[in-house]
PDB file of all heavy atoms in Angstrom:
ATOM      1  N   VAL A 997       7.004  28.510 -10.923  1.00 98.00           N
ATOM      2  CA  VAL A 997       6.543  29.681 -11.739  1.00 98.00           C
ATOM      3  C   VAL A 997       7.745  30.645 -11.989  1.00 98.00           C
ATOM      4  O   VAL A 997       8.339  31.060 -10.912  1.00 98.00           O
ATOM      5  CB  VAL A 997       5.434  30.458 -11.093  1.00 98.00           C
ATOM      6  CG1 VAL A 997       4.978  31.606 -11.958  1.00 98.00           C
ATOM      7  CG2 VAL A 997       4.277  29.532 -10.748  1.00 98.00           C
ATOM      8  N   PRO A 998       8.082  31.045 -13.176  1.00 98.00           N
ATOM      9  CA  PRO A 998       7.638  30.423 -14.407  1.00 98.00           C
ATOM     10  C   PRO A 998       8.405  29.139 -14.745  1.00 98.00           C
ATOM     11  O   PRO A 998       9.561  28.988 -14.353  1.00 98.00           O
ATOM     12  CB  PRO A 998       7.994  31.512 -15.418  1.00 98.00           C
ATOM     13  CG  PRO A 998       9.176  32.159 -14.861  1.00 98.00           C
ATOM     14  CD  PRO A 998       9.092  32.101 -13.423  1.00 98.00           C
ATOM     15  N   SER A 999       7.800  28.247 -15.436  1.00 98.00           N
ATOM     16  CA  SER A 999       8.497  26.984 -15.812  1.00 98.00           C
ATOM     17  C   SER A 999       9.577  27.253 -16.880  1.00 98.00           C
ATOM     18  O   SER A 999       9.320  28.062 -17.761  1.00 98.00           O
ATOM     19  CB  SER A 999       7.486  25.998 -16.293  1.00 98.00           C
ATOM     20  OG  SER A 999       6.516  25.730 -15.286  1.00 98.00           O
ATOM     21  N   GLN A1000      10.643  26.570 -16.804  1.00 97.00           N
ATOM     22  CA  GLN A1000      11.721  26.657 -17.773  1.00 97.00           C
ATOM     23  C   GLN A1000      12.062  25.284 -18.286  1.00 97.00           C
ATOM     24  O   GLN A1000      11.907  24.269 -17.595  1.00 97.00           O
ATOM     25  CB  GLN A1000      12.968  27.273 -17.070  1.00 97.00           C
ATOM     26  CG  GLN A1000      12.769  28.651 -16.502  1.00 97.00           C
ATOM     27  CD  GLN A1000      13.919  29.168 -15.714  1.00 97.00           C
ATOM     28  OE1 GLN A1000      14.897  28.454 -15.463  1.00 97.00           O
ATOM     29  NE2 GLN A1000      13.848  30.399 -15.288  1.00 97.00           N
ATOM     30  N   PRO A1001      12.575  25.241 -19.533  1.00 96.00           N
ATOM     31  CA  PRO A1001      12.938  23.957 -20.117  1.00 96.00           C
ATOM     32  C   PRO A1001      13.867  23.111 -19.243  1.00 96.00           C
ATOM     33  O   PRO A1001      13.788  21.880 -19.178  1.00 96.00           O
ATOM     34  CB  PRO A1001      13.583  24.312 -21.449  1.00 96.00           C
ATOM     35  CG  PRO A1001      12.967  25.587 -21.809  1.00 96.00           C
ATOM     36  CD  PRO A1001      12.746  26.325 -20.501  1.00 96.00           C
ATOM     37  N   GLY A1002      14.780  23.783 -18.525  1.00 96.00           N
ATOM     38  CA  GLY A1002      15.667  23.094 -17.560  1.00 96.00           C
ATOM     39  C   GLY A1002      14.932  22.440 -16.355  1.00 96.00           C
ATOM     40  O   GLY A1002      15.621  21.645 -15.689  1.00 96.00           O
ATOM     41  N   ASP A1003      13.723  22.706 -16.193  1.00 97.00           N
ATOM     42  CA  ASP A1003      12.938  22.083 -15.145  1.00 97.00           C
ATOM     43  C   ASP A1003      12.422  20.771 -15.480  1.00 97.00           C
ATOM     44  O   ASP A1003      11.914  20.031 -14.646  1.00 97.00           O
ATOM     45  CB  ASP A1003      11.729  22.937 -14.725  1.00 97.00           C
ATOM     46  CG  ASP A1003      12.138  24.324 -14.190  1.00 97.00           C
ATOM     47  OD1 ASP A1003      13.200  24.454 -13.523  1.00 97.00           O
ATOM     48  OD2 ASP A1003      11.335  25.318 -14.385  1.00 97.00           O
ATOM     49  N   SER A1004      12.599  20.393 -16.782  1.00 98.00           N
ATOM     50  CA  SER A1004      12.170  19.033 -17.249  1.00 98.00           C
ATOM     51  C   SER A1004      12.969  17.963 -16.514  1.00 98.00           C
ATOM     52  O   SER A1004      14.173  17.922 -16.645  1.00 98.00           O
ATOM     53  CB  SER A1004      12.328  18.913 -18.725  1.00 98.00           C
ATOM     54  OG  SER A1004      11.546  19.843 -19.409  1.00 98.00           O
ATOM     55  N   ALA A1005      12.276  17.156 -15.733  1.00 97.00           N
ATOM     56  CA  ALA A1005      12.851  16.117 -14.873  1.00 97.00           C
ATOM     57  C   ALA A1005      11.751  15.315 -14.218  1.00 97.00           C
ATOM     58  O   ALA A1005      10.636  15.577 -14.431  1.00 97.00           O
ATOM     59  CB  ALA A1005      13.743  16.787 -13.798  1.00 97.00           C
ATOM     60  N   VAL A1006      12.141  14.342 -13.463  1.00 97.00           N
ATOM     61  CA  VAL A1006      11.185  13.601 -12.623  1.00 97.00           C
ATOM     62  C   VAL A1006      11.188  14.229 -11.222  1.00 97.00           C
ATOM     63  O   VAL A1006      12.310  14.414 -10.626  1.00 97.00           O
ATOM     64  CB  VAL A1006      11.536  12.106 -12.555  1.00 97.00           C
ATOM     65  CG1 VAL A1006      10.526  11.391 -11.584  1.00 97.00           C
ATOM     66  CG2 VAL A1006      11.522  11.468 -13.953  1.00 97.00           C
ATOM     67  N   TYR A1007      10.006  14.524 -10.682  1.00 98.00           N
ATOM     68  CA  TYR A1007       9.896  15.124  -9.389  1.00 98.00           C
ATOM     69  C   TYR A1007       9.306  14.092  -8.420  1.00 98.00           C
ATOM     70  O   TYR A1007       8.239  13.514  -8.630  1.00 98.00           O
ATOM     71  CB  TYR A1007       8.983  16.378  -9.479  1.00 98.00           C
ATOM     72  CG  TYR A1007       9.685  17.543 -10.192  1.00 98.00           C
ATOM     73  CD1 TYR A1007       9.782  17.499 -11.587  1.00 98.00           C
ATOM     74  CD2 TYR A1007      10.271  18.554  -9.467  1.00 98.00           C
ATOM     75  CE1 TYR A1007      10.466  18.558 -12.245  1.00 98.00           C
ATOM     76  CE2 TYR A1007      10.976  19.593 -10.111  1.00 98.00           C
ATOM     77  CZ  TYR A1007      11.029  19.566 -11.505  1.00 98.00           C
ATOM     78  OH  TYR A1007      11.690  20.617 -12.151  1.00 98.00           O
ATOM     79  N   PHE A1008      10.014  13.972  -7.287  1.00 97.00           N
ATOM     80  CA  PHE A1008       9.544  13.027  -6.234  1.00 97.00           C
ATOM     81  C   PHE A1008       9.103  13.816  -5.050  1.00 97.00           C
ATOM     82  O   PHE A1008       9.836  14.743  -4.544  1.00 97.00           O
ATOM     83  CB  PHE A1008      10.686  12.136  -5.832  1.00 97.00           C
ATOM     84  CG  PHE A1008      11.121  11.115  -6.870  1.00 97.00           C
ATOM     85  CD1 PHE A1008      12.300  11.320  -7.569  1.00 97.00           C
ATOM     86  CD2 PHE A1008      10.371   9.963  -7.146  1.00 97.00           C
ATOM     87  CE1 PHE A1008      12.630  10.455  -8.621  1.00 97.00           C
ATOM     88  CE2 PHE A1008      10.756   9.035  -8.066  1.00 97.00           C
ATOM     89  CZ  PHE A1008      11.879   9.324  -8.842  1.00 97.00           C
TER      90      PHE A1008
END
Side-chain angles (χ1 to χ4, degrees):
Chain A
V997 182
S999 301
Q1000 300 173 353
D1003 296 329
S1004 297
V1006 177
Y1007 288 78
F1008 293 101

